[in-house]
Amino acid sequence: MKLLAVRRLFRIQRVVIRYRLDDLLFALPLPWWMKATRFVMPWRLLPRNNAELPRGARLRLALQDLGPIFIKFGQILSTRRDLLPEDIADELMLLQDRVPPFDPQVAIKLIEEQLGAKISEVFSRFDVTPLASASVAQVHAAQLKSGEEVVVKVVRPGLKPIIGQDLAWLFILARTAERMSADARLLHPVDVVADYEKTIYDELDLLREAANSSQLRRNFEGSDLLYVPQVYWDWCRPKVLVMERIYGIQVNDLATLADQRTDMKLLAERGVEIFFTQVFRDSFFHADMHPGNIFVSTVNPWSPQYIAIDCGIVGSLTPEDQDYLARNLFAFFKRDYRRVAQLHIDSGWVPAETKLNEFEAAIRTVCEPIFEKPLKDISFGQVLMRLFQTARRFNMEVQPQLVLLQKTLLNIEGLGRQLYPDLDLWSTAQPFLERWMRDRVSPKTLFGNLQSQVEQIPHLANMTRDLLERMSQPHRSDPPPPWRERGDGWALRLLGSALLAGGAVMASTLVAEGTALVAPLAWPAWIMLVAGLYLVIRR
């Protein structure tokens, strides 16, 4: 284990002690023997420096001190008000875009280094005070020399070492869980952490975020559902991103949305439609949809349009995953639990020997209570708990490639609860899925698939030709013998000539002595003749 990772563990321990986060643990309904351990913890005898702070503030400040990975965790939790007490949820919401900024002069220096020019040479105005600050970067408002109002996003300095240390501990915990628990192995914790490692390092590359924003903007070009600000590529670098400044209402600012008479039901329904459009139509979805990244346009509140920023984390699905998810969701909407069970078995998510009837009954028990209810009356916490119990019973495996999609679904649910608690998520999504599945078998789609297959014919023909050539000459691609590489073929030919001469002399001697050339004594002569002839005429 690296020394820096050990130091990071002590840092985490100090933060936990400083903000007395163990109080949150001991406030839970624990067994008596676990509660008794608080009396043997030495730091609980120390004076409480943060005793006057409420528990939500202590948790938020601890996550801020621990860095971006813990802040991201707090951001995800902040969207689940159904799982958290109100005071903690309110505090964690501040992590979405109100993380304490770093020194603006450091930001200016970093921007100038990345752009290779002075701030005054690129911008006619640059606001030193940050417009917003988050876990990975902070944003400054500015105006380009050409007059466009923009925002300049700059990555926080010194993040990679901290992230590396935190990930080292997450990998240790994941490997330990896999070794010690069969249930944990079904969840693939190491694969999940590895996927998160790739995601968070990708988020540090603002050129990748710029490319994601451009792609998402192109997918919704001219749409009334979603607007994505323009990227100014001339001023984008790995640690600096310059894009169009947008003006809107943060999606969780319910009071302002109500003041402008926003149609909240339509807003919530459009949020669901945007999500399913990204996942199934485009296979390219914004995977960091917490309220700090989602705004609502002030134009046409009776037909509200979303505005998405911060596309550092996006997800995509393979056609197989898309088809599998769509069929599962469609079967769920139809309450065809047998079909759901069969799809799980066919996809390999549960063992092939699973008894279909038992698995179907288990899924029905978990899913039936959630239908025909508004979102506010559905306890997804209980549903997830029961699904995990089903997973343990039938050895169901969590698919790591769908982790981002699951995270985004949690964010969507959290937003839906805030915007319009009576929204029926299922009836909103079902028509979209039905339309998508019909489009998959439409003549236009089938013709497009046929066209793509026809375009592959030349490639397939080349592959077939290469395969036949390899079969007809199996040793064509073998490396040459060592003597060919050394260029000493002349020595082998000389040896062959000697063997030919020796064999000829021996054969003539045997003939002179009256020995037949088919006699056993003539075999050495034949061997010398054949070997010599091969060495002389070989290439």
Side-chain angles (χ1 to χ4, degrees):
M1 185 186 301
K2 294 183 179 179
L3 179 60
L4 287 177
V6 176
R7 289 175 55 190
R8 180 62 174 168
L9 178 62
F10 285 113
R11 167 66 177 164
I12 294 172
Q13 185 181 20
R14 285 199 303 271
V15 171
V16 170
I17 294 173
R18 178 183 177 186
Y19 293 101
R20 294 300 172 89
L21 297 187
D22 50 334
D23 287 345
L24 301 179
L25 176 64
F26 291 121
L28 300 175
L30 301 174
W32 67 267
W33 56 270
M34 290 189 66
K35 288 191 174 183
T37 59
R38 61 181 170 177
F39 298 110
V40 297
M41 295 179 176
W43 62 82
R44 297 187 67 84
L45 302 176
L46 300 175
R48 294 171 174 265
N49 298 326
N50 298 285
E52 71 283 357
L53 293 176
R55 58 180 183 175
R58 283 187 282 130
L59 178 59
R60 173 178 60 83
L61 292 173
L63 294 176
Q64 284 181 186
D65 286 355
L66 289 174
I69 286 186
F70 292 89
I71 292 174
K72 285 288 181 188
F73 180 68
Q75 290 173 349
I76 295 173
L77 282 180
S78 70
T79 65
R80 299 310 310 271
R81 288 182 170 268
D82 58 316
L83 303 179
L84 296 175
E86 187 174 354
D87 60 324
I88 293 181
D90 289 340
E91 286 289 339
L92 293 183
M93 279 181 58
L94 300 178
L95 295 175
Q96 293 170 2
D97 60 352
R98 302 181 199 175
V99 178
F102 60 93
D103 187 352
Q105 297 305 318
V106 175
I108 290 174
K109 182 180 179 182
L110 207 160
I111 292 171
E112 291 179 341
E113 288 176 354
Q114 289 284 300
L115 298 182
K118 293 291 185 182
I119 289 288
S120 58
E121 297 174 4
V122 180
F123 306 103
S124 58
R125 190 193 79 251
F126 184 88
D127 295 349
V128 176
T129 303
L131 190 64
S133 181
S135 57
V136 171
Q138 70 184 31
V139 175
H140 295 261
Q143 185 182 53
L144 291 174
K145 290 286 188 178
S146 52
E148 294 91 343
E149 291 290 331
V150 297
V151 292
V152 183
K153 185 174 183 178
V154 56
V155 174
R156 288 177 176 269
L159 281 184
K160 280 194 174 182
I162 298 175
I163 292 175
Q165 295 158 24
D166 289 343
L167 287 171
W169 283 110
L170 288 176
F171 274 114
I172 290 172
L173 293 175
R175 294 189 186 101
T176 303
E178 284 196 353
R179 285 196 298 267
M180 298 181 63
S181 170
D183 292 340
R185 284 193 291 274
L186 294 176
L187 301 177
H188 300 287
V190 173
D191 292 337
V192 170
V193 175
D195 186 70
Y196 184 64
E197 177 185 33
K198 177 182 180 299
T199 298
I200 195 165
Y201 279 129
D202 286 348
E203 197 173 2
L204 297 180
D205 183 0
L206 295 187
L207 286 178
R208 182 182 292 270
E209 178 180 340
N212 293 339
S213 298
S214 294
Q215 177 69 52
L216 193 61
R217 177 182 172 86
R218 186 162 56 252
N219 290 345
F220 284 87
E221 191 73 37
S223 171
D224 294 331
L225 299 177
L226 181 67
Y227 181 82
V228 181
Q230 178 183 353
V231 173
Y232 293 93
W233 281 101
D234 291 343
W235 306 112
C236 291
R237 303 292 186 273
K239 294 184 179 180
V240 173
L241 169 64
V242 178
M243 65 190 312
E244 173 190 358
R245 183 176 182 179
I246 55 98
Y247 298 90
I249 304 170
Q250 198 161 334
V251 71
N252 61 347
D253 189 353
L254 302 183
T256 306
L257 290 173
D259 288 343
Q260 73 162 8
R261 300 180 182 275
T262 303
D263 187 336
M264 303 300 287
K265 182 175 183 295
L266 181 58
L267 183 65
E269 290 175 347
R270 285 189 167 184
V272 175
E273 184 177 355
I274 288 171
F275 171 74
F276 281 95
T277 300
Q278 292 180 79
V279 171
F280 291 103
R281 187 195 71 181
D282 305 327
S283 186
F284 188 86
F285 58 92
H286 193 308
D288 199 15
M289 296 182 68
H290 62 76
N293 292 336
I294 306 297
F295 294 81
V296 179
S297 173
T298 56
V299 181
N300 296 337
W302 56 89
S303 180
Q305 182 186 44
Y306 284 91
I307 303 173
I309 63 173
D310 193 356
C311 300
I313 303 177
V314 298
S316 61
L317 300 178
T318 65
E320 292 77 16
D321 286 336
Q322 281 182 309
D323 186 70
Y324 167 77
L325 284 172
R327 291 178 182 276
N328 262 281
L329 290 173
F330 195 71
F332 272 124
F333 293 145
K334 295 294 185 182
R335 306 191 198 187
D336 187 354
Y337 303 118
R338 190 173 190 84
R339 178 63 174 161
V340 174
Q342 187 64 58
L343 285 168
H344 276 69
I345 296 174
D346 292 344
S347 67
W349 282 27
V350 296
E353 63 271 15
T354 301
K355 293 182 179 179
L356 183 62
N357 291 338
E358 293 182 6
F359 193 30
E360 176 191 358
I363 294 175
R364 178 184 297 108
T365 303
V366 172
C367 298
E368 188 64 26
I370 72 177
F371 286 102
E372 295 183 350
K373 289 184 178 181
L375 196 58
K376 67 176 182 179
D377 295 334
I378 298 175
S379 173
F380 276 93
Q382 293 182 4
V383 171
L384 288 175
M385 181 181 67
R386 298 185 71 180
L387 281 175
F388 283 134
Q389 292 172 350
T390 305
R392 287 194 295 269
R393 179 181 172 188
F394 291 95
N395 296 322
M396 186 189 302
E397 298 189 2
V398 173
Q399 302 300 303
Q401 73 271 21
L402 301 181
V403 169
L404 277 180
L405 183 68
Q406 295 166 358
K407 169 181 174 290
T408 307
L409 279 170
L410 291 178
N411 286 339
I412 290 293
E413 181 198 353
L415 288 175
R417 287 186 183 278
Q418 295 180 38
L419 294 175
Y420 189 73
D422 291 325
L423 171 70
D424 187 340
L425 182 65
W426 315 113
S427 63
T428 303
Q430 182 178 349
F432 180 91
L433 277 179
E434 290 177 339
R435 185 170 64 252
W436 181 79
M437 294 190 72
R438 285 197 305 269
D439 290 343
R440 283 176 60 85
V441 295
S442 66
K444 180 180 178 182
T445 303
L446 294 176
F447 179 77
N449 292 336
L450 177 62
Q451 183 179 8
S452 64
Q453 295 296 327
V454 170
E455 291 173 352
Q456 294 294 320
I457 290 178
H459 176 64
L460 293 175
N462 291 334
M463 291 179 60
T464 304
R465 183 193 61 195
D466 293 342
L467 177 62
L468 292 175
E469 289 180 353
R470 286 195 298 270
M471 292 175 63
S472 62
Q473 301 181 26
H475 302 294
R476 184 184 62 177
S477 59
D478 291 351
W483 58 79
R484 294 191 189 178
E485 296 179 356
R486 293 195 301 267
D488 53 358
W490 61 271
L492 293 177
R493 294 192 188 93
L494 183 61
L495 176 61
S497 301
L499 288 174
L500 277 175
V505 170
M506 183 179 294
S508 60
T509 302
L510 291 174
V511 171
E513 293 177 351
T515 303
L517 292 179
V518 295
L521 291 177
W523 288 1
W526 282 112
I527 292 174
M528 292 176 66
L529 289 170
V530 172
L533 182 63
Y534 170 75
L535 292 176
V536 169
I537 67 175
R538 63 175 292 279
R539 293 183 179 180

